[in-house]
């Protein structure tokens, strides 16, 4: 029996996933939570074979948090299940050590298949991710701009695009405000823009937001 913990902000996702797996003899739920604190509590107290986590989970402000989960709970497979753009976030998630990255536009059958495969030791990401990565590796310079960005720069860009101020971002990422200003300057330079409005528009073009 594979024991799952689902960590997602949305009750409709909780309901849908529990309904889908309700009669599955191979999969059960050790916990269903809506924030990082709840996930940590379940992982500390129960045996969890795989954690299904949305990258936009409340309290999960950085890919570094995912990396810490992988390190602190090596017996639990981390499966990312999110709406965030695959070509932007999947590579960094995989570098962080997650076992699978599944976009929420996938079928539930695909998520089920990914869960079973990671339990067999595979690292799983969708054909769309593979295709996007292959295209981007062969693509034009303009199509590969995001590959210049570090995972931290992508996080800062995402928060800037959401309208958050430097002080708010610093608090979310546990950094000082000066460091955020430095990241912002790097983003302007790397993405060849001169102001925040153009930076946000570039982020939308790259599907970072």
């Amino acid at each position: 029996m594979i024991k799952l913990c689902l960590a997602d902000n949305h009750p409709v996702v909780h309901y849908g996933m529990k309904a889908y797996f309700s009669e599955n003899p191979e999969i059960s739920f050790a916990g269903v939570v809506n924030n990082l604190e709840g996930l940590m509590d379940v992982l500390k107290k129960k045996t969890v074979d795989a954690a299904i986590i949305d990258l936009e989970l409340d309290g999960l402000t950085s890919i570094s948090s995912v990396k810490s989960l992988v390190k602190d709970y090596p017996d639990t497979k981390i499966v990312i299940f999110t709406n965030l753009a695959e070509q932007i976030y999947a590579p960094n998630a995989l570098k962080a050590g997650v076992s699978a990255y599944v976009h929420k536009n996938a079928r539930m059958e695909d998520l089920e298949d990914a869960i079973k495969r990671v339990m067999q030791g595979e690292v799983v990401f969708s054909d769309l991710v593979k295709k996007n990565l292959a295209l981007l590796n062969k693509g034009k310079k303009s199509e590969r701009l995001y590959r210049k960005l570090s995972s931290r720069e992508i996080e800062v860009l995402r928060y800037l695009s959401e309208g958050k101020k430097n002080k708010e971002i610093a608090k979310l990422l546990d950094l000082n405000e000066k460091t955020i200003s430095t990241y912002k300057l790097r983003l302007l330079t790397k993405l060849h823009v001169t102001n925040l409005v153009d930076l946000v528009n570039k982020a939308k073009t790259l599907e970072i937001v």
Side-chain angles (χ1 to χ4, degrees), residues 22-182:
S22 62
E23 297 182 7
N24 191 312
E26 300 177 74
I27 293 174
S28 65
F29 285 89
V32 176
V33 301
N34 59 10
N35 56 49
L36 181 60
E37 183 179 357
L39 173 62
M40 298 288 289
D41 191 50
V42 171
L43 292 178
K44 288 175 183 176
K45 295 179 179 179
K46 298 183 180 181
T47 299
V48 177
D49 297 309
I52 314 301
I53 303 172
D54 188 345
L55 285 179
E56 297 182 283
L57 179 71
D58 283 346
L60 186 65
T61 57
S62 168
I63 198 69
S64 298
S65 299
V66 175
K67 191 172 183 179
S68 294
L69 289 173
V70 172
K71 179 181 178 182
D72 295 341
Y73 302 96
D75 295 329
T76 299
K77 304 294 185 182
I78 303 298
V79 176
I80 299 301
F81 186 55
T82 185
N83 272 321
L84 291 180
E86 294 170 294
Q87 66 267 37
I88 304 295
Y89 293 94
N92 287 324
L94 292 167
K95 287 178 184 178
V98 307
S99 296
Y101 192 106
V102 182
H103 196 274
K104 282 186 174 178
N105 63 10
R107 301 176 305 159
M108 286 300 298
E109 290 86 351
D110 295 330
L111 177 62
E112 179 182 358
D113 179 64
I115 292 168
K116 291 178 179 178
R117 288 169 62 189
V118 300
M119 294 311 300
Q120 295 173 356
E122 293 186 49
V123 176
V124 180
F125 54 108
S126 74
D127 290 338
L128 180 60
V129 172
K130 294 176 185 178
K131 181 180 178 180
N132 283 339
L133 291 176
L135 288 173
L136 286 164
N137 285 334
K138 296 176 182 178
K140 298 177 182 178
K141 186 176 181 181
S142 60
E143 295 173 327
R144 293 183 283 117
L145 276 175
Y146 84 88
R147 298 179 67 234
K148 297 179 179 181
L149 307 182
S150 68
S151 58
R152 182 67 85 190
E153 288 167 345
I154 289 173
E155 288 166 351
V156 170
L157 181 52
R158 189 176 111 199
Y159 287 130
L160 286 170
S161 300
E162 291 174 357
K164 290 182 170 60
K165 305 300 183 185
N166 288 10
K167 187 175 182 179
E168 294 176 274
I169 300 171
K171 185 176 181 180
L172 283 167
L173 298 180
D174 196 24
L175 298 170
N176 63 56
E177 196 171 341
K178 185 177 180 181
T179 300
I180 300 302
S181 296
T182 300

